[in-house]
Amino acid sequence: MNRSPRPQRAAEFLLRRACRRLPEEQAEERFAEWSAELPAIVSDPDLSDFRAAWRAVAFAFGQIRTAEELAARQPADPFDAIRAFPLVGALILLAVTSDSEGMMDSVATVTAEVLAVVGCITLRPKRARTRSCARMQEQAQARRRLSEEEAPDG
């Protein structure tokens, strides 16, 4: 049976998207586990090509829902609150000094602006996920090559 790898690639794309919601260590583990199921689903001899493709993509959509549930169960990062201190400090400083005038007002305003910038920088989204996604993509390609080599020529 000669099946196109497109459904498998589409399902792997959906799985990578789902794993972005998880912590990096857990994302790699889940992606490896979930993507290992795809060759079995796609190469099921009892299914037509269309049904096999449909099942692979439906499986991936189901894992998106699972990843959302797993991500919701993750404990909150206590450092997120600590990272927000500069931004909170800036807002408090602006609120307290908004009524004052003169030199103290300008110093407080500049300090509040600096704290706001520092707060925004520390609260920016983490970018470490892109490296793990690239790693997951490489692993998926290696798995796909292995499954293509193991498939009987026909």
Side-chain angles (χ1 to χ4, degrees), residues 7 9 13 27 39 41 43 49 55 67 77 79 109 115 123 128 153:
R9 271 190 253 139
F13 171 79
I41 295 170
S43 64
D49 289 348
R55 282 224 178 133
D77 187 5
F79 290 114
T109 304
L115 284 172
L123 288 175
D153 296 332

Side-chain angles (χ1 to χ4, degrees), residues 7-13 15 31-44 52 55-60 63 140 143 147:
Q8 187 172 345
R9 271 190 253 139
E12 286 172 352
F13 171 79
L15 291 176
F31 181 78
E33 178 183 330
W34 293 338
S35 63
E37 297 290 330
L38 292 176
I41 295 170
V42 172
S43 64
D44 188 352
R55 282 224 178 133
V57 172
F59 171 76
Q63 299 314 319
R143 240 184 260 102
S147 67

